[in-house]
Amino acid sequence: CDEYQQGVLTGDLCEDLCVAGRVEYKRCLYYENGKKVMAASWRGVPIVLKSKLENFSSYEALALLEYQDAAGGAGGEEELSPLDVVFYATLEIKNSLGLETGTNLTLPRLWGQKLKENERTYSRAELASLWALLQQEEYTFLRVLQDLTQHVAKILGSCGHFYAVEYLAAGHAWDQHIFSLEELTLSPSPSPWSGQEKTITAKDMVPRVALSFLEMVKHFENDFSHRLHLCDIKPENFAIRKDLT
């Protein structure tokens, strides 16, 4: 928050986190070698705040900004064009995920369209924050895929090097079921034949969860121009939404 106030970093989460007090810390979920994962509440919505490294300064700086400084630029508010942003983001994604930009331009295309619509340049704080986020493989992976599939956790916002993802019920290994159906307090869904609300029973839930899981596997296996390798497979690394996705 000190760095946000100084204009070093920024993000759509910063104002609520550092000024308005709308982000409430709940508990630490993981902390090792600088990696931090925290449960929090953002405007009443449960989220998970994550960063691969503890400090913003631990991330590699955007070389172009340093070059501009060394070249004696105007300083303060150096700006890059939208095309520059797309180009450098594409290179970082390629390095981070091992994708060939010639065969997978999905994210640059999406971002390119959004940037053209905005038709604006980006401040040093925005570029530095984006660069820190793109150096985190999980952020990049989720950001690439969240526009293409419902089977990854949604990124809800960020502040500097920390990003917020939706809080979901995780799987566990100590029961016969991966997911505890009792924990999923489902809103009743309309019954197509009666027009009245019908509460989903455990008998209905199990096949819906199984079909969604199979859909995810088929989707990841067949629908991308690059092969996905899921590592560290264990129940705790899968999650479920209230709609049984």
Side-chain angles (χ1 to χ4, degrees), residues 19-44:
V19 180
R22 295 191 179 117
V23 179
E24 181 184 354
Y25 170 82
K26 296 295 185 183
R27 65 187 185 279
C28 177
L29 299 175
Y30 183 88
Y31 177 48
E32 187 174 338
N33 298 325
K35 179 178 180 180
K36 278 189 171 180
V37 184
M38 296 169 283
S41 174
W42 183 15
R43 299 191 179 196

Side-chain angles (χ1 to χ4, degrees), residues 164-221:
V165 298
E166 59 181 328
Y167 184 92
L168 298 170
H172 53 74
W174 58 85
D175 199 336
Q176 59 176 329
H177 304 295
I178 295 178
F179 302 110
S180 172
L181 302 181
E182 292 75 20
E183 291 178 12
L184 291 170
T185 54
L186 293 165
S187 301
S189 60
S191 169
W193 55 87
S194 67
Q196 298 175 344
E197 290 189 338
K198 174 178 179 286
T199 302
I200 301 175
T201 64
K203 184 179 178 182
D204 299 323
M205 291 163 71
V206 171
R208 283 179 57 177
V209 173
L211 285 171
S212 183
F213 203 94
L214 290 172
E215 181 190 71
M216 176 187 68
V217 173
K218 180 183 177 183
H219 183 42
F220 282 2
E221 179 72 15

Side-chain angles (χ1 to χ4, degrees), residues 43-55:
R43 299 191 179 196
V45 176
I47 61 169
V48 177
L49 271 177
K50 312 184 79 170
S51 178
K52 185 178 179 181
L53 300 174
E54 185 167 358
N55 300 311

Side-chain angles (χ1 to χ4, degrees), residues 4 9-15 17-18 129 157-163:
Y4 170 62
L9 56 82
T10 190
D12 51 7
L13 187 66
C14 290
E15 190 71 15
L17 176 67
C18 301
S129 300
S158 64
C159 181
H161 53 311
F162 275 89
Y163 59 98

